[in-house]
Amino acid sequence: MIIVFKPNISRKDETAVLKEIKRLGYRPHIMRGVARTVVGAIGDELTHQSLENLLTLFPQAVESVMPVQKRFKLVSREAHPANSTIEVRGHLIGGRRIQIMAGPCSVESETQLLATAEAVRAAGAAILRGGAFKPRTSPYEFQGLGHRGLKLLAKARKETGLAIITELLSEDHAELVAEYTDIIQIGTRNAQNFQLLIAAAKTGKPVLLKRGLSMRIEEWLLAGEYVLANGNPNLMFCERGIRTFETYTRNTLDLAAIPIVKQESHCPIVIDPSQGSGRADLVTAMCKGAVAMGADALLIEVHPNPAEALSDGAQQISLDAFARLMTDLKPFLEAAGRA
Amino acid sequence: MIIVFKPNISRKDETAVLKEIKRLGYRPHIMRGVARTVVGAIGDELTHQSLENLLTLFPQAVESVMPVQKRFKLVSREAHPANSTIEVRGHLIGGRRIQIMAGPCSVESETQLLATAEAVRAAGAAILRGGAFKPRTSPYEFQGLGHRGLKLLAKARKETGLAIITELLSEDHAELVAEYTDIIQIGTRNAQNFQLLIAAAKTGKPVLLKRGLSMRIEEWLLAGEYVLANGNPNLMFCERGIRTFETYTRNTLDLAAIPIVKQESHCPIVIDPSQGSGRADLVTAMCKGAVAMGADALLIEVHPNPAEALSDGAQQISLDAFARLMTDLKPFLEAAGRA
Amino acid sequence: MIIVFKPNISRKDETAVLKEIKRLGYRPHIMRGVARTVVGAIGDELTHQSLENLLTLFPQAVESVMPVQKRFKLVSREAHPANSTIEVRGHLIGGRRIQIMAGPCSVESETQLLATAEAVRAAGAAILRGGAFKPRTSPYEFQGLGHRGLKLLAKARKETGLAIITELLSEDHAELVAEYTDIIQIGTRNAQNFQLLIAAAKTGKPVLLKRGLSMRIEEWLLAGEYVLANGNPNLMFCERGIRTFETYTRNTLDLAAIPIVKQESHCPIVIDPSQGSGRADLVTAMCKGAVAMGADALLIEVHPNPAEALSDGAQQISLDAFARLMTDLKPFLEAAGRA
Amino acid sequence: MIIVFKPNISRKDETAVLKEIKRLGYRPHIMRGVARTVVGAIGDELTHQSLENLLTLFPQAVESVMPVQKRFKLVSREAHPANSTIEVRGHLIGGRRIQIMAGPCSVESETQLLATAEAVRAAGAAILRGGAFKPRTSPYEFQGLGHRGLKLLAKARKETGLAIITELLSEDHAELVAEYTDIIQIGTRNAQNFQLLIAAAKTGKPVLLKRGLSMRIEEWLLAGEYVLANGNPNLMFCERGIRTFETYTRNTLDLAAIPIVKQESHCPIVIDPSQGSGRADLVTAMCKGAVAMGADALLIEVHPNPAEALSDGAQQISLDAFARLMTDLKPFLEAAGRA
């Protein structure tokens, strides 16, 4: 920790602050600068108490307190210098192949799901997405088929060989969802629902953690830390757009998250261009950017008839559009040295 | 719903869009303007399917789709024109008296809690706050005393007569927390954790719903709708700052939320100046503003020794500072016609 | 400056970084911590070159570079511990009396302006606001009456004795505007138009600097520094709302800016509740909050017939509403110990 | 314009609103819906007065007012369906070839500029960037070489054949800067400095308009409208990151702006990955994404020795890094069908 003193601090205050630093287990190291005196408090920030309280205890003396260590450990590159990979039914996420996870926003019916599953498999997807339990802004909106939706996903897996990813909304469903799915998705609204993260981690299934609507990357990595710290190494991060003032798009897809997560962490990074823009007509451009910038997987909303979708119709693309997209992405996959 | 056509739309597309509008249960009404043709789709937006999908189905023809109804019902002023009040152990929230909820960020020990409880009661608070289960950004930070914390809160209530408010983090704790607390707090990270909102509602205890970090007021009202729609009328909203680019404060307290929530809803509105600024030295100014603008209650973090707090020390005020704050607020309470 | 090294930095890199720090005029001071080595670079940050470039020069060795000094000088409380006051035609801004600046968004006609001027003077305002040159988002919107607007403002001053505040949009108008106005307003879109700030400063007239749409408070203070550094001590800051994701209000009024600017700077702080909310129905609540939190002046848009206003009609209040507002504010002025 | 009435509006209010709509030149068209009555006000929104004032005039009757027309005209695709191209010294911007604009943040010396110019030309750039007049957050930072910087740019053009782009900060410099440069850059802080936009437009030189820090795309297009409406058709837009809460990057580069600007406007779109991230180590990834998503040009900060740069050293890349970047981009250019 670095503590910056206010100018003209009294000798008495200085002594008191230094005493408090020692009491909290740090060794203070004073540097008298030209305009400010600065104290380096030497000690492990992750095991000692934060010194931010000095601001409250000595408001007349302390101007700022700055941590110098990063707060995440297990998700960090320092802890695991090589890229982590996650195997899901024979498909490797985080390897040379960019994996495509595609399917409807919500599972609505057997016909809808099977038609989508077959079409996305034929076009090159390895993983089927589909919401069975849906978090909806309003209680009056379609909340998903629940258990029946999970069964339909399992059926689609059996018929197509696709692996399954679906969202977990409630700790109480953790076992049930884990029984059916291959990857557990934690949605943006639950990105800091730590109890849910722990419950997901404990199922042992790979976890895809979406970035919260207004989550700093550091907070996202720390939320991921909850998964690894609870004994589950199979974590992937999914950027899906952050909330800004812009209104043309539903969210602002922060593609810089790809190289940053790659730099800070060993976990795979997935991009969701559908939520990330909220507009079907932008999905192709977003996917091209994501592939070029190093994404390990894409999570794409596809529906046999987007105009009839029970949720988020404006951002789902049709089966034909998905097939075209897969073709359009090929040259960019090659340019990126991916398959 | 209002549907705006693109200029130069073909007759064929127009017919197709109108047919689709009818198929979805609305009656279309065409207005040919100078620069745009606009369709009013007549029907109840809350019971019919959204027409936003038209953007996907007819990208060449439809420029925008705008809802005209508000999406919340039970929390709205239209549904309940008078102010709602909530009684908690004889104290009325939403009435003429501004209620003070005060106490530590986290329950840390019996000594800490009882000292705080007695001090805040003596200074005029009616409700004791204190976290037993704590949501922390990092898994390596203090996570609260849990069940033992709840027992200490109950003990403090017994000794001081203060009512209790504490946070619910997990559906699995809903019964346990309800057994001890008088008001259930839903924190900012769980503001759109709808399963938790439903679990809280079903306990029958009054619910204080904090605004999410980047929640629009409309989304907040809709999250509150989950509580009322699950049979619990005792809901209060709590503004605690939103996330912006500003770094002087931890959050930006949006005091305009007070008159807006009062206008749109009948539910009481509470202000949290501690989380709302993240700085103990701003709490007094924030409270004055909140009282002047019409808040029904204040939720303030108070600690016998903020510098030793196990969480959020920088924003907790001392017992003395709290007593001074209560005195300083008096003229503003009178100016606002409140007690 | 504080330089944090990456873990496992080589001895060779360490030597090279230290050499570079010395070359740039700082004296390095090494602290070896538990998890990180930190260097304090001793020297005046305002006269030496920034060390942020070390991040680029030694990406393998340097993790972060943190300044410890504040970058503003003349506007700071350290430079001038007492409150500054500004006298405008006998009215003191920054003193015990809260000054009211009121008038139309745009000067539209003699009738409109004089009617407003007389009404706001009668209700207690000391300063008349009115835009002659208007910055408009679209080139097709009303751009103000220009020179004729300035003449009308002068006429209103002559007839009512009110002082005048109006916006300066262009360096080329600096002399012209200064000839007519008592206070020069720099608008939100020009808050970092440094050439305009310098031109305004050089006229010698008091300057009101609005906060930019997405300006951090530090940047705002630094923009103000341009005024003082160009020989003009009569600067006041005006908070008028920042841009966030919220859509109920046009901007989010950051009332915490009042105590923060008071703490960091000696310059008066003004609140604009009209731009700050964009809604006439919120102006009264906003003014109450601003007064309670310590604002030195209020800048309020008033129009004899808001519905016919040529700009921003939705946020202007009527003459009657203004008179009521002045009455409603009285108890809050007293509570705040202001006149 | 669409006007939505509040529920339970009185017959008298309805008549009054309709009368006012007519008085302002629109023809009202009533639609009685299930939950709301809606009025379509038929008339050209760009030539008539806005009806937003109805909210102020009839607060008890009008719930919302929504425009249906887009506010920009000359920059829109509707006005000019084909892509516009801009020719600068034989180089076409907006054509099949992606143009590279590269050079130092600030012109610092002849040696620095010429070394950079030759290196970027050799690596494939057609246009040299370099700031002569620099807008700096603090008055104590390096403000650019001014006129001498312009002369150095002209010298570099003469020696290398590169075209020149440099920033215009002040209306008073418009003629001077236009005398030396081939493209006038309007910086992010001046993106809504409309007087400067007009002055730039009137020089007749092509204008590159950076997006403001917190500008919605609609506002950006409208700012561009000021250039075209003042007789200058040679406008290009430049996305350079927006301000968000994220702190890993200096700004959040909104790459979705590429397909959106392409959809809404005929003007070329340029990406600035240097300002867009604020970090040299992210520039390559950002460029790959920009090329894949359809950018017409890249504006990249390059410096012979970034660690000694007088401004923004942390985001400038070295000459070697630039040469590598040009090589790394090739497969993505081909994938995008560009040269």
Side-chain angles (χ1 to χ4, degrees):
Chain A
M1 291 267 171
I2 300 294
I3 295 93
V4 182
F5 283 154
K6 290 198 170 166
N8 310 320
I9 174 180
S10 74
R11 176 65 56 171
K12 195 177 139 228
D13 278 339
E14 188 176 307
T15 309
V17 176
L18 295 177
K19 197 174 147 197
E20 183 68 14
I21 290 172
K22 283 180 209 155
R23 202 180 67 77
L24 292 168
Y26 294 86
R27 187 158 52 81
H29 183 122
I30 305 182
M31 288 183 295
R32 301 200 186 278
V34 174
R36 289 286 188 285
T37 292
V38 168
V39 179
I42 296 172
D44 186 347
E45 296 174 6
L46 296 183
T47 56
H48 289 68
Q49 201 183 338
S50 168
L51 294 175
E52 289 194 354
N53 295 353
L54 294 174
L55 285 166
T56 304
L57 193 56
F58 304 101
Q60 74 290 1
V62 175
E63 188 165 285
S64 60
V65 176
M66 303 180 283
V68 299
Q69 278 178 249
K70 290 191 173 160
R71 293 161 71 200
F72 44 92
K73 291 193 291 194
L74 302 173
V75 302
S76 75
R77 273 269 172 221
E78 288 176 26
H80 188 292
N83 284 341
S84 283
T85 55
I86 300 172
E87 203 190 311
V88 181
R89 295 194 172 259
H91 304 291
L92 212 60
I93 301 169
R96 192 166 164 275
R97 187 178 193 83
I98 295 185
Q99 298 296 352
I100 307 297
M101 308 171 175
C105 179
S106 299
V107 177
E108 296 168 7
S109 71
E110 183 169 337
T111 322
Q112 171 238 26
L113 190 66
L114 290 183
T116 309
E118 274 164 32
V120 301
R121 193 191 49 75
I127 300 164
L128 177 67
R129 62 150 290 157
F133 295 97
K134 296 296 301 172
R136 302 304 302 274
T137 304
S138 159
Y140 309 119
E141 293 166 336
F142 174 62
Q143 310 272 324
L145 296 183
H147 195 160
R148 191 159 77 82
L150 295 175
K151 285 180 184 162
L152 291 176
L153 286 165
K155 182 163 192 186
R157 176 172 52 203
K158 201 172 160 195
E159 301 215 351
T160 61
L162 290 166
I164 298 295
I165 177 170
T166 198
E167 180 166 352
L168 175 67
L169 269 195
S170 163
E171 297 162 64
D172 294 348
H173 306 155
E175 273 182 52
L176 176 70
V177 170
E179 194 184 314
Y180 287 93
T181 198
D182 298 304
I183 306 175
I184 290 181
Q185 175 178 320
I186 301 292
T188 193
R189 293 177 186 80
N190 285 311
Q192 288 190 307
N193 178 350
F194 304 120
Q195 306 307 307
L196 189 66
L197 284 166
I198 294 170
K202 290 191 171 161
T203 66
K205 292 281 177 179
V207 175
L208 178 143
L209 174 59
K210 290 208 168 182
R211 184 175 179 183
L213 260 186
S214 65
M215 227 178 184
R216 295 203 184 97
I217 290 175
E218 191 202 14
E219 294 166 332
W220 191 20
L221 294 170
L222 278 164
E225 192 81 15
Y226 271 93
V227 175
L228 272 68
N230 281 281
N232 187 333
N234 292 316
L235 172 70
M236 59 200 107
F237 291 99
C238 178
E239 161 68 28
R240 47 77 71 206
I242 56 174
R243 177 157 280 183
T244 69
F245 54 82
E246 180 55 61
T247 50
Y248 253 95
T249 43
R250 191 164 156 186
N251 297 296
T252 296
L253 190 67
D254 181 12
L255 288 170
I258 302 173
I260 293 170
V261 168
K262 281 281 169 212
Q263 207 172 80
E264 297 291 343
S265 175
H266 53 90
C267 300
I269 173 86
V270 182
I271 295 294
D272 175 345
S274 307
Q275 289 282 350
S277 61
R279 290 169 48 153
D281 60 346
L282 296 181
V283 166
T284 295
M286 292 310 199
C287 286
K288 289 178 181 172
V291 165
M293 291 178 70
D296 291 310
L298 301 173
L299 182 66
I300 304 169
E301 296 190 6
V302 181
H303 194 286
N305 185 353
E308 296 196 346
L310 295 179
S311 60
D312 287 346
Q315 73 199 27
Q316 303 199 54
I317 60 174
S318 68
L319 305 184
D320 283 357
F322 179 74
R324 275 196 306 277
L325 168 61
M326 289 298 101
T327 308
D328 290 353
L329 283 183
K330 264 189 201 137
F332 295 94
L333 290 168
E334 280 162 27
R338 305 292 283 260
Chain B
M1 291 268 172
I2 300 293
I3 294 92
V4 182
F5 283 154
K6 290 197 170 169
N8 309 320
I9 175 179
S10 73
R11 177 64 58 174
K12 194 177 140 229
D13 278 338
E14 188 177 307
T15 310
V17 176
L18 295 177
K19 198 175 149 197
E20 183 67 15
I21 290 172
K22 283 181 210 154
R23 202 181 65 79
L24 293 167
Y26 293 86
R27 188 159 51 81
H29 183 120
I30 303 182
M31 289 183 294
R32 301 199 184 277
V34 175
R36 289 286 187 285
T37 293
V38 168
V39 180
I42 295 172
D44 187 345
E45 296 174 6
L46 295 183
T47 55
H48 287 69
Q49 200 182 339
S50 168
L51 294 176
E52 289 195 354
N53 295 352
L54 294 175
L55 285 167
T56 305
L57 193 56
F58 303 101
Q60 75 290 0
V62 174
E63 187 165 285
S64 60
V65 176
M66 301 180 285
V68 299
Q69 277 178 252
K70 289 191 175 160
R71 294 160 71 202
F72 44 92
K73 293 193 289 196
L74 302 173
V75 302
S76 76
R77 273 268 173 223
E78 286 176 29
H80 187 292
N83 284 342
S84 282
T85 55
I86 301 172
E87 202 190 313
V88 180
R89 297 196 169 256
H91 304 291
L92 212 60
I93 301 169
R96 190 166 166 273
R97 188 179 193 82
I98 295 185
Q99 297 297 351
I100 308 296
M101 308 172 177
C105 179
S106 299
V107 177
E108 296 168 8
S109 71
E110 183 169 336
T111 323
Q112 172 239 26
L113 189 66
L114 290 182
T116 309
E118 274 164 32
V120 302
R121 193 191 48 75
I127 300 165
L128 177 67
R129 60 151 289 157
F133 295 96
K134 297 295 302 173
R136 302 304 303 276
T137 304
S138 159
Y140 309 119
E141 293 167 336
F142 175 62
Q143 310 272 323
L145 296 182
H147 195 162
R148 191 159 78 82
L150 295 175
K151 286 180 183 164
L152 291 176
L153 286 165
K155 183 164 191 184
R157 174 172 54 203
K158 201 172 161 194
E159 302 216 351
T160 60
L162 290 165
I164 298 294
I165 176 169
T166 198
E167 180 166 354
L168 175 66
L169 271 195
S170 162
E171 296 163 65
D172 295 349
H173 306 154
E175 274 182 52
L176 177 70
V177 170
E179 192 183 316
Y180 287 93
T181 199
D182 299 303
I183 305 175
I184 289 180
Q185 174 179 320
I186 300 293
T188 191
R189 293 177 186 80
N190 285 310
Q192 288 189 307
N193 178 350
F194 303 120
Q195 305 307 307
L196 189 66
L197 285 166
I198 294 169
K202 290 191 171 162
T203 66
K205 292 280 177 181
V207 175
L208 178 143
L209 174 58
K210 290 208 167 183
R211 182 174 181 186
L213 262 185
S214 64
M215 228 176 182
R216 295 203 183 97
I217 290 174
E218 191 202 13
E219 294 166 332
W220 191 21
L221 295 169
L222 278 165
E225 191 82 14
Y226 271 93
V227 175
L228 272 68
N230 281 280
N232 188 333
N234 292 317
L235 172 70
M236 58 201 106
F237 291 100
C238 178
E239 161 67 27
R240 47 77 69 206
I242 55 174
R243 178 155 278 183
T244 69
F245 54 81
E246 180 56 61
T247 51
Y248 252 95
T249 43
R250 192 163 154 185
N251 298 296
T252 296
L253 191 67
D254 181 13
L255 287 169
I258 302 173
I260 293 170
V261 168
K262 281 280 168 214
Q263 206 172 79
E264 297 290 345
S265 175
H266 52 89
C267 300
I269 172 88
V270 183
I271 295 294
D272 175 347
S274 307
Q275 289 282 350
S277 62
R279 290 170 48 154
D281 60 345
L282 296 180
V283 166
T284 297
M286 294 311 201
C287 287
K288 289 177 181 172
V291 166
M293 292 178 69
D296 292 309
L298 300 173
L299 181 67
I300 304 170
E301 296 190 8
V302 182
H303 193 285
N305 185 353
E308 296 195 347
L310 295 179
S311 60
D312 287 347
Q315 74 199 26
Q316 304 198 52
I317 62 174
S318 67
L319 307 184
D320 282 358
F322 179 73
R324 276 196 304 278
L325 168 61
M326 288 298 100
T327 308
D328 290 353
L329 284 183
K330 262 186 202 142
F332 295 94
L333 290 167
E334 281 161 28
R338 306 290 283 259
Chain C
M1 291 267 172
I2 300 293
I3 295 91
V4 181
F5 283 154
K6 290 197 169 167
N8 310 320
I9 174 179
S10 72
R11 177 64 58 171
K12 195 177 139 227
D13 277 339
E14 187 176 307
T15 309
V17 176
L18 295 177
K19 198 175 148 194
E20 183 67 16
I21 290 172
K22 284 181 208 156
R23 202 181 65 76
L24 292 167
Y26 293 86
R27 187 158 52 80
H29 184 120
I30 303 182
M31 288 183 295
R32 301 201 185 277
V34 173
R36 288 286 189 284
T37 292
V38 168
V39 181
I42 296 172
D44 187 347
E45 297 174 5
L46 295 183
T47 56
H48 289 69
Q49 200 182 338
S50 168
L51 293 176
E52 289 194 354
N53 295 353
L54 294 175
L55 284 167
T56 305
L57 193 55
F58 304 101
Q60 74 290 1
V62 175
E63 187 166 286
S64 60
V65 175
M66 302 180 284
V68 298
Q69 276 178 251
K70 290 191 174 162
R71 293 160 71 200
F72 44 92
K73 292 194 292 195
L74 302 173
V75 302
S76 76
R77 271 268 172 222
E78 287 176 28
H80 187 292
N83 285 342
S84 282
T85 55
I86 300 172
E87 203 192 312
V88 180
R89 297 196 170 258
H91 304 291
L92 213 59
I93 301 169
R96 192 167 163 275
R97 188 179 193 83
I98 294 185
Q99 298 296 352
I100 308 297
M101 310 172 175
C105 178
S106 299
V107 177
E108 296 169 7
S109 71
E110 183 168 337
T111 321
Q112 171 239 26
L113 190 65
L114 290 183
T116 309
E118 274 165 32
V120 301
R121 193 190 49 72
I127 300 164
L128 177 67
R129 60 151 291 156
F133 295 97
K134 296 297 301 173
R136 302 304 302 276
T137 303
S138 159
Y140 309 119
E141 293 167 335
F142 175 61
Q143 310 273 322
L145 295 183
H147 195 163
R148 191 157 79 79
L150 295 175
K151 285 180 184 163
L152 292 176
L153 286 165
K155 184 163 189 183
R157 175 171 54 203
K158 202 172 160 194
E159 302 217 350
T160 61
L162 290 166
I164 297 295
I165 177 170
T166 198
E167 180 167 352
L168 176 66
L169 269 195
S170 162
E171 295 162 66
D172 295 348
H173 305 154
E175 274 183 50
L176 177 70
V177 170
E179 194 184 315
Y180 287 92
T181 198
D182 299 303
I183 305 175
I184 290 180
Q185 174 179 320
I186 301 292
T188 193
R189 293 177 186 80
N190 285 310
Q192 287 190 309
N193 178 350
F194 303 120
Q195 306 306 306
L196 189 67
L197 284 166
I198 294 169
K202 290 192 169 160
T203 66
K205 292 281 177 181
V207 175
L208 178 143
L209 174 59
K210 291 208 168 181
R211 184 174 180 185
L213 260 187
S214 64
M215 228 176 182
R216 295 204 183 97
I217 290 174
E218 191 202 14
E219 294 166 333
W220 191 21
L221 294 169
L222 278 164
E225 191 82 15
Y226 271 93
V227 175
L228 272 69
N230 280 281
N232 188 334
N234 292 316
L235 172 69
M236 58 200 106
F237 291 99
C238 178
E239 161 67 28
R240 44 78 71 207
I242 55 174
R243 177 157 281 182
T244 69
F245 54 81
E246 180 54 62
T247 50
Y248 252 96
T249 44
R250 190 162 155 186
N251 298 296
T252 297
L253 191 66
D254 181 13
L255 287 169
I258 302 172
I260 293 170
V261 168
K262 280 283 169 212
Q263 205 173 81
E264 297 290 343
S265 175
H266 52 90
C267 300
I269 173 86
V270 182
I271 294 294
D272 175 346
S274 307
Q275 289 281 350
S277 62
R279 289 169 49 154
D281 60 345
L282 296 181
V283 166
T284 296
M286 293 309 200
C287 286
K288 289 177 182 172
V291 165
M293 291 179 68
D296 292 309
L298 302 172
L299 182 67
I300 304 169
E301 296 191 7
V302 181
H303 193 286
N305 184 354
E308 295 195 347
L310 295 179
S311 58
D312 287 346
Q315 74 199 27
Q316 305 198 52
I317 60 175
S318 68
L319 306 184
D320 282 357
F322 180 74
R324 276 196 305 278
L325 168 62
M326 289 297 102
T327 308
D328 290 353
L329 284 183
K330 263 188 202 140
F332 295 94
L333 290 166
E334 280 162 27
R338 305 291 283 259
Chain D
M1 291 270 172
I2 300 294
I3 294 93
V4 181
F5 283 153
K6 290 197 170 167
N8 310 320
I9 176 178
S10 73
R11 176 65 57 174
K12 196 178 139 227
D13 278 338
E14 186 175 308
T15 310
V17 176
L18 295 176
K19 197 174 149 197
E20 183 67 15
I21 289 172
K22 283 182 208 152
R23 201 183 65 78
L24 292 167
Y26 293 86
R27 188 157 52 80
H29 184 119
I30 303 182
M31 288 183 296
R32 300 201 186 276
V34 174
R36 290 285 187 283
T37 293
V38 168
V39 180
I42 295 172
D44 187 346
E45 296 174 7
L46 295 183
T47 55
H48 288 69
Q49 200 181 340
S50 167
L51 293 176
E52 290 194 354
N53 295 352
L54 294 174
L55 284 167
T56 304
L57 194 55
F58 303 101
Q60 74 290 2
V62 175
E63 187 166 285
S64 61
V65 176
M66 301 180 286
V68 297
Q69 278 179 252
K70 290 193 173 160
R71 293 160 73 201
F72 44 91
K73 292 194 289 195
L74 302 173
V75 302
S76 75
R77 273 267 173 224
E78 287 176 28
H80 187 292
N83 284 341
S84 282
T85 55
I86 301 172
E87 201 190 315
V88 180
R89 294 196 172 258
H91 304 292
L92 212 61
I93 301 169
R96 190 166 165 274
R97 187 178 193 84
I98 295 186
Q99 298 296 352
I100 308 296
M101 309 171 175
C105 178
S106 299
V107 177
E108 296 169 7
S109 72
E110 183 169 337
T111 321
Q112 172 238 24
L113 189 65
L114 290 183
T116 309
E118 276 164 31
V120 302
R121 192 191 49 73
I127 300 164
L128 177 67
R129 62 151 288 157
F133 295 97
K134 296 296 301 173
R136 301 305 301 276
T137 304
S138 160
Y140 309 119
E141 294 168 335
F142 175 61
Q143 309 273 322
L145 295 182
H147 195 162
R148 191 158 77 81
L150 295 175
K151 284 180 183 163
L152 291 176
L153 286 165
K155 184 162 188 184
R157 174 170 55 203
K158 201 173 160 194
E159 302 215 351
T160 60
L162 290 165
I164 297 295
I165 176 169
T166 198
E167 180 167 352
L168 176 67
L169 270 196
S170 162
E171 296 163 64
D172 294 349
H173 305 154
E175 274 183 51
L176 178 69
V177 170
E179 193 183 315
Y180 287 93
T181 199
D182 299 303
I183 305 175
I184 290 179
Q185 174 178 319
I186 300 292
T188 192
R189 293 176 185 80
N190 285 310
Q192 287 189 307
N193 178 349
F194 304 120
Q195 305 306 307
L196 189 67
L197 284 166
I198 295 170
K202 290 191 171 161
T203 66
K205 292 280 176 179
V207 174
L208 177 143
L209 174 59
K210 290 207 168 183
R211 184 173 179 185
L213 262 186
S214 64
M215 227 176 181
R216 294 204 185 96
I217 290 174
E218 191 202 14
E219 294 166 334
W220 190 21
L221 294 169
L222 278 164
E225 192 83 14
Y226 271 92
V227 175
L228 272 68
N230 280 281
N232 187 335
N234 292 316
L235 172 70
M236 59 201 106
F237 291 99
C238 178
E239 160 68 28
R240 47 76 71 205
I242 56 174
R243 177 156 281 182
T244 69
F245 54 82
E246 180 54 62
T247 51
Y248 252 95
T249 44
R250 194 164 154 183
N251 298 296
T252 297
L253 191 67
D254 181 12
L255 287 169
I258 302 173
I260 294 171
V261 168
K262 282 281 168 213
Q263 204 172 82
E264 296 291 344
S265 174
H266 52 89
C267 300
I269 172 85
V270 182
I271 294 294
D272 176 345
S274 307
Q275 290 283 348
S277 62
R279 289 170 49 155
D281 60 345
L282 296 180
V283 166
T284 296
M286 295 309 202
C287 286
K288 289 177 182 172
V291 165
M293 292 178 69
D296 292 310
L298 302 172
L299 181 66
I300 304 169
E301 295 191 8
V302 181
H303 193 287
N305 185 353
E308 295 196 347
L310 295 179
S311 59
D312 287 346
Q315 73 198 29
Q316 305 198 52
I317 61 174
S318 68
L319 306 185
D320 282 357
F322 180 74
R324 276 195 306 278
L325 168 62
M326 289 297 101
T327 308
D328 290 353
L329 284 182
K330 263 185 202 141
F332 296 94
L333 291 167
E334 280 162 29
R338 305 291 282 258

